[in-house]
Each structure stands twice: as C-alpha cells, then as structure tokens.
Amino acid sequence: MTRTAIVTGAARGIGAAIATRLAADGMAVAVLDLDESAGKTTVDAIETAGGTALAVGADVADEASVAAAVERVSAELGAPTVLVNNAGILRDNLLFKMTVDDWDAVMNVHLRGAFLMTRAVQQHMVAAKFGRVVNLSSTSALGNRGQANYSAAKAGMQGFTKTLAFELGKFGVTANAIAPGFIETEMTAATAARIGMDFDEFKRAAAAQIPVNRTGTPDDIAHTAAFLASEGAGFVSGQVIYVAGGPKD
Ligand code: NAP
C-alpha cells in the first residue's frame, strides 16, 4: 500500500533529501515548509523521478496553520502515517547575549512545532494502527557553546520522542530520533558565514574531528530516516541514533 508521509522543513537541506528518499521508497510525500513555493523544487525533483509529492506551506509553530496543513495533506494525498519533524532554525549566541526572542524562536520551531505536528498527525496513525515518527535532534543535544537554546530544544526532542514511543506503541506507532553531527547544508554554511570562515575551510576543520574523516551529507540522514520510516523497523522505538561519523554519547 502507498503510505503518505509529511516531512517538515523539506524545501531544502536534510528535509529535502529525506522527502526525496521517502518518495523513492514509494511513499506519497507532503513537502511542508514555511513558504509553499519554496517546496516546489523538491516536489519537481520527486515528480521528475516518477514519485508523488505535494508542496504545502505552513508554519509548524502555529496551531491553526498545522491543522490546516494536515487536513490538506489528508484530503489531497491520503491520511499521513509517516511524520518527519525536521523543520529547524538556529539563533546562536552566548548566553549573556541571547535574547528572549532567540530563545523563544528556537523553542517554538523545534519543540512546539514537533508537538503540534505530531498531535495533529497521530489521529491518522492510530486509526491506521501504523505510524512512524522521526524527529530531528542533534549532537548539540549533548551541549554546545553558543547554543543554549538549540541544545535545550534538541535534548527536548529526545525526551519528546521517548514519551511518544511509550504512549503510541500499542497503536503500531514507533517514534525515534536522529541526532546528526555536522551535515553540509545552508544551516552549517550560515554558521561558517556568521563566524567569518570560508565554508570549505569550516568543513575541513570539522572533518578533522570526525572519526570517519569527513563531514556528513543530507543523504546520510535520509538513509537513516528511510530505515526508521520503513515497515520493517516496527520493533525499533524510542531510540536516538547519532549519525555523526563516530560515537557521541
Ligand atoms: P536548513 O537547510 O536551514 O533547512 C531548514 C528548513 O526548515 C528550511 O527550509 C526552513 O524554511 C524550514 N523551516 C524553518 N522554520 C520553519 C517553520 N516554522 N515551519 C516550517 N518550516 C520551517 O536546515 P538543515 O541543515 O537541513 O537542518 C534540518 C534539521 O536537522 C533541523 O532540525 C536541524 O536543527 C537539524 N540538524 C542539522 C544539522 C546540520 O549540520 N545541518 C545537524 C544536526 C541537526 P525557511 O528557509 O523558509 O526558513
């Protein structure tokens, strides 16, 4: 049967790679991002490869926007039973310079966003007695200088994931988190720009600290997400998988 998946923040980066991979695996994929038109590139790539996709504009941190998006996906693609909470932002700063807005913006997109999306989608999973929730955490969950807001949010994603696993397991729903290390995307490019470093130089410096001696790509994360979203992964739940080129915790 064709499953319907929603991938948030799927206009680019890791989300785009996950959406493309889930579509290649046979799912109908809702490419959700803040701006519907931004998702069109991912949708075009999926359709060109013979897959099914729909661009949906929504702010994951807004309750009404999430409800409307999930309703639209259900009507146009079918009831969603796979959810990848990937949308994310950075507002890095040292604690003494971090504003309340920096704190709230990060909490709202990552934690409130994952909560609202999962709460809206779980009814479809429970009705289908099947579901796969994949949440994007980060190695920053273990603590990272300049990221008090982001590391707290990404550690929160892990607790949220484990609680979903407990609550939804009996309905055939699994929940797992992926904690990526350094992945080459606009997010890490923006970090390099912020600290005034050339991106290639920034990547080389990061790779030197990674056991497999390279930085990660969005496809590295898409492979792991595809496994966790698959039918065969039904006995894997409540786990945090560090995809970081080496051990982390
Ligand atoms: P990215 O290139 O910045 O892409 C993030 C996407 O999320 C953007 O398309 C962005 O849209 C969208 N988004 C932001 N706020 C949103 C909202 N409120 N509602 C809907 N969509 C929203 O980031 P990435 O590097 O692919 O990261 C994806 C996920 O992996 C994030 O959760 C990130 O924290 C996590 N992660 C990344 C790395 C890494 O090294 N890159 C490492 C660990 C974890 P706009 O462009 O319109 O803002």
Side-chain angles (χ1 to χ4, degrees), residues 83-238:
L83 171 64
V84 182
N85 286 309
N86 167 83
I89 59 168
L90 293 180
R91 293 287 185 273
D92 292 356
N93 224 330
L94 293 174
L95 180 66
F96 78 102
K97 287 192 278 190
M98 188 172 283
T99 66
V100 170
D101 281 351
D102 291 336
W103 179 269
D104 287 347
V106 167
M107 291 301 150
N108 282 342
V109 176
H110 297 269
L111 284 179
R112 184 182 158 95
F115 158 66
L116 289 174
M117 285 300 305
T118 310
R119 195 185 60 170
V121 172
Q122 58 82 32
Q123 57 188 310
H124 297 294
M125 297 177 169
V126 170
K129 295 192 168 51
F130 174 91
R132 299 282 183 263
V133 180
V134 180
N135 292 323
L136 268 290
S137 178
S138 166
T139 51
S140 294
L142 302 168
N144 199 24
R145 188 178 164 81
Q147 294 195 317
N149 49 3
Y150 185 76
S151 61
K154 290 309 200 184
M157 290 295 268
Q158 297 188 9
F160 178 61
T161 302
K162 290 175 191 187
T163 298
L164 295 176
F166 281 122
E167 290 190 12
L168 300 176
K170 62 173 179 263
F171 303 108
V173 179
T174 66
N176 292 285
I178 300 174
F182 188 116
I183 307 297
E184 298 160 17
T185 69
E186 285 188 33
M187 187 179 268
T188 39
T191 301
R194 193 175 58 80
I195 62 172
M197 229 168 139
D198 171 68
F199 192 37
D200 285 333
E201 198 188 316
F202 190 56
K203 282 191 287 188
R204 267 196 300 279
Q209 306 297 318
I210 298 171
V212 300
N213 204 30
R214 69 170 178 88
T215 47
T217 66
D219 280 341
D220 287 319
I221 306 306
H223 278 296
T224 308
F227 163 68
L228 293 172
S230 69
E231 307 279 329
F235 208 53
V236 181
S237 196

